Structure formats: C-alpha cells, structure tokens
Amino acid sequence: MGQMIASLRRVLGVLAVPILLVGCSADPEVSADSSAMRSTVTVVRTLEHDRSAFTQGLEIDDGELYEGTGRKGSSYVRVSSLDTGKELRRVDLPAEYFGEGLTVAGDTVWQITWQNGTAFARDKTTLAGAREVGYDGEGWGLCAAADGLVMSDGSSMLTFRDADTFEATGTVEVTLDGSPLESLNELECAEDGSVYANLWRTFDIARIDPATGTVSEIIDAEPLWNSMSERERDGADVLNGIAQIPGTDRFLVTGKLWPSMFEVEFTPVE
C-alpha cells in the first residue's frame, strides 16, 4: 500500500508541478527546531543544462558527467564531458521503460526504472547493455558506496545491494529526530561515507549516515530555484540530481527540466 500511495503522490506531483513548486513547502515538513544541522547552498558557478532532460540520476566519474532521465518514450543515459559539456555517448531506453537513478560501480553503469522492476547493467565505456536484473518494488535513486549500492524507492527506506549481482543485502530506515523521513529520491554516495538524498517535492537535500539512517544535515537548495528567472522556471519540475565533484566538497545540483545546473558548496546557516 505504501508503494501505491507513493506512486499516486508522484503522478500527482508531475501533473501539478506549477502549483507544487511555487513557494514549495517541505513535504515531508522539516521542523525549524530539528536537531539536524541546517545549511544552504552557495553557488560557485552556473552551467547550462538541457531543459528537455527529465533528470533522475546524476554522477561524475573520471571527468565525465553521467545523467539518467525519465518518462516513458524519452528515457536515456547520457555521458558528457565535465569540462566542455559535449555529449560523448548516449543510449535510449525502450519506450516502455521509465528511467530513474543511475550510478557507476567499477566498469558498470547501473540504471534502475520506476515501476518496471528492472535494473540495467551497462558497460561503462560504451553504455551497451550487459544484462538486466529484476527487483521488487519501485526504483527511485541509486548510488555506489565503497561496499555496495544504495537504492531508494520514494519511502523512508534505503536498500543496500551487491554491486555485481544487484541482490539486496540489507535495509535501513532513514530518520530525522527519530521519525521516518519519507520521499527519499535521487541519491549521491559521498566520499566521506555519507549519503545525500533529494527529498521529492521539496528543495531540501538530506545528509544521511547509512549505518544508522540518521539525518545529520538538511540543505535548503531553494536559492537555486529563486535565482532563475520566471521564464527559466516556466515548465521546470522538481529539484532532482546531485553529484559530488570528486576530490572536493562541492556538488553539482540541478532539477528535472531545469535550464541550469549549479556547482555549489553547502554552507551552514548561522
């Protein structure tokens, strides 16, 4: 039932984007007196982003930017040069698949799908499909940690998976001040061992300890939305897409159908 509700909420969110994004309030609501550190984003630079890209996954590996997109009939994986933005390779999903998160694990690019229950293992060099693996439930976000994969399904749960077989190896519930934090979406496994998660239908990004599920920091990324003009925001969807720039404490952040991608630092709120 929880997955059915999450599915309905997601569909409604897509259909009612202009209403949800204008003055978007946190859903789930994050209390102002939460024990988690409150941070915001400081923009280092602004990059162009393909506003036709319904971004579902974002990751940087070996100087290349991997982006996975969604929607049936227009889902794909694209790899671009991080320096120039030039597209280097791309593969489209069959029309019946709704693409979701992706991650690079060794020589493999894993890509999940929303309600198809299928994960694609792709060759990193060519993006050619190597094999397909089935899984139960919905697929939302995916990232690669040192000891395996981490996957979200729109709930408060994170599922750990084997990076070779995609078999589930465990779960953890994400909590903020002891309460489950729902709507975990796109994920980024950071170099310090933490997991960052976009919270669907909000401008918030949660920093999570994957060992305990505890949220230690909430980053408010709404200034990115506010920095865009009304014309740029027209037709744009929710915040989605976060990728750490290797060897730094900076991240690339964007959204579905956003015309811009932002290189940012997370700065504590005084």
Side-chain angles (χ1 to χ4, degrees), residues 82-237:
L82 188 60
D83 291 332
T84 67
K86 178 182 178 182
E87 183 176 302
L88 303 174
R89 51 197 181 278
R90 168 177 167 156
V91 61
D92 296 327
L93 272 67
E96 66 268 26
Y97 290 99
F98 192 117
E100 283 284 348
L102 88 170
T103 195
V104 180
D107 295 327
T108 300
V109 177
W110 282 105
Q111 180 189 22
I112 55 177
T113 53
W114 178 23
Q115 295 178 318
N116 302 95
T118 301
F120 294 93
R122 302 186 181 281
D123 179 84
K124 175 184 169 182
T125 304
T126 64
L127 294 184
R131 66 187 190 279
E132 300 176 14
V133 179
Y135 57 83
D136 294 328
E138 295 186 358
W140 286 44
L142 189 69
C143 68
D147 55 355
L149 307 178
V150 186
M151 178 174 160
S152 66
D153 62 4
S155 70
S156 61
M157 302 299 296
L158 293 178
T159 299
F160 304 109
R161 296 185 177 275
D162 185 276
D164 294 321
T165 66
F166 211 73
E167 289 292 324
T169 60
T171 60
V172 68
E173 184 168 43
V174 175
T175 59
L176 177 64
D177 300 321
S179 298
L181 185 63
E182 302 281 345
S183 302
L184 303 177
N185 199 356
E186 215 269 300
L187 304 178
E188 174 68 5
C189 292
E191 293 176 353
D192 65 2
S194 59
V195 174
Y196 288 84
N198 290 152
L199 302 182
W200 180 57
R201 293 204 314 175
T202 81
F203 295 107
D204 288 338
I205 299 169
R207 183 184 182 187
I208 304 161
D209 179 350
T212 64
T214 302
V215 173
S216 62
E217 182 179 9
I218 295 290
I219 301 106
D220 177 14
E222 188 170 6
L224 304 181
W225 176 260
N226 293 337
S227 71
M228 294 189 290
S229 68
E230 184 176 349
R231 179 182 59 81
E232 290 173 321
R233 292 196 298 262
D234 184 32
D237 207 299

Side-chain angles (χ1 to χ4, degrees), residues 16-87:
V17 166
I19 296 175
L20 293 173
L21 280 177
V22 175
C24 178
S25 60
D27 179 297
E29 184 174 349
V30 178
S31 173
D33 59 1
S34 168
S35 63
M37 178 189 299
R38 295 304 302 238
S39 298
T40 188
V41 289
T42 299
V43 177
V44 177
R45 61 173 176 155
T46 301
L47 307 171
E48 290 186 3
H49 181 248
D50 179 2
R51 72 172 306 151
S52 69
F54 198 74
T55 305
Q56 303 283 51
L58 202 65
E59 187 159 328
I60 299 169
D61 186 79
D62 288 343
E64 296 179 341
L65 180 65
Y66 290 74
E67 183 172 17
T69 71
R71 291 182 166 172
K72 289 184 178 181
S74 58
S75 296
Y76 59 82
V77 177
R78 173 171 56 200
V79 182
S80 305
S81 167
L82 188 60
D83 291 332
T84 67
K86 178 182 178 182
E87 183 176 302

